[in-house]
Amino acid sequence: MAKAAELGRETLAFHRLYHEKISRRLYAAHSEWVPQAEFLTLCIVAEKEGLSMNELTRRTASSKQRLTVLVNQLEEKGYLRRERSESDRRITRLFLTDQSRALMADAQKQTEQALDEVFSQMDASILSEYLSAIRSLNAVLEKMPSGAGQ
């Protein structure tokens, strides 16, 4: 239990610091084009193109109505396109456009530059251990249900 408490504190501290030092720069660089909620939605779709609206709802723990408005806005701006599933016409799948792919590539480049500032100050062996730990943690988290009350 003591390790869980310490890990919890350090994870919260990391989340706060990452948001303050890295994410804000990224959002500020793209806020004139895409608000944060829209940008995060694009990030989720970029991870798994062809994601259904229902999957997006589960991943974000947002209401379907809220996401429909968000997706409509992204579609109007030319960042997302919707396609009906060939096998089940009730399912709508989401895909990035070339415009949003360019935005995401720029965001990835800026993120890498910001993280390079941090990681260049650390020893290579520590970075390797950190990367291994993050991959393991991500694998565990991916298996867990999303959202509150699940």
Side-chain angles (χ1 to χ4, degrees):
M1 278 302 192
K3 279 289 183 202
E6 184 179 359
L7 282 167
R9 283 191 302 275
E10 292 301 322
T11 300
L12 288 173
F14 173 80
H15 180 72
R16 176 187 58 80
L17 289 167
Y18 185 88
H19 180 70
E20 286 176 12
K21 310 295 182 181
I22 307 294
S23 293
R24 283 186 186 165
R25 274 196 235 175
L26 183 62
Y27 298 136
H30 297 97
S31 63
E32 65 208 45
W33 301 313
V34 184
Q36 184 175 353
E38 291 179 14
F39 184 77
L40 293 174
T41 301
L42 289 174
C43 289
I44 292 169
V45 174
E47 284 180 11
K48 186 179 177 188
E49 285 211 51
L51 188 77
S52 73
M53 283 294 288
N54 285 338
E55 291 173 287
L56 183 62
T57 300
R58 279 193 301 276
R59 294 271 315 266
T60 61
S62 292
S63 71
K64 195 162 191 170
Q65 294 81 7
R66 170 144 168 66
L67 282 176
T68 298
V69 169
L70 206 58
V71 167
N72 286 344
Q73 291 167 341
L74 287 165
E75 193 174 34
E76 287 169 14
K77 292 177 182 178
Y79 288 120
L80 273 185
R81 66 181 169 79
R82 299 179 215 213
E83 287 183 13
R84 290 276 178 203
S85 169
E86 292 293 323
S87 59
D88 186 343
R89 303 297 290 167
R90 296 172 297 175
I91 297 173
T92 301
R93 301 219 174 268
L94 303 172
F95 296 89
L96 297 179
T97 63
D98 289 341
Q99 184 179 350
S100 60
R101 280 189 192 90
L103 175 75
M104 299 307 291
D106 185 53
Q108 180 67 31
K109 181 180 173 186
Q110 288 185 31
T111 300
E112 288 171 8
Q113 289 171 345
L115 291 175
D116 190 48
E117 290 177 33
V118 175
F119 294 144
S120 66
Q121 299 174 46
M122 298 173 70
D123 181 75
S125 63
I126 292 173
L127 284 175
S128 292
E129 290 176 29
Y130 176 71
L131 183 57
S132 178
I134 289 294
R135 285 180 176 148
S136 296
L137 182 58
N138 286 346
V140 170
L141 291 173
E142 285 289 344
K143 294 176 187 174
M144 295 178 69
S146 298
Q150 293 184 354

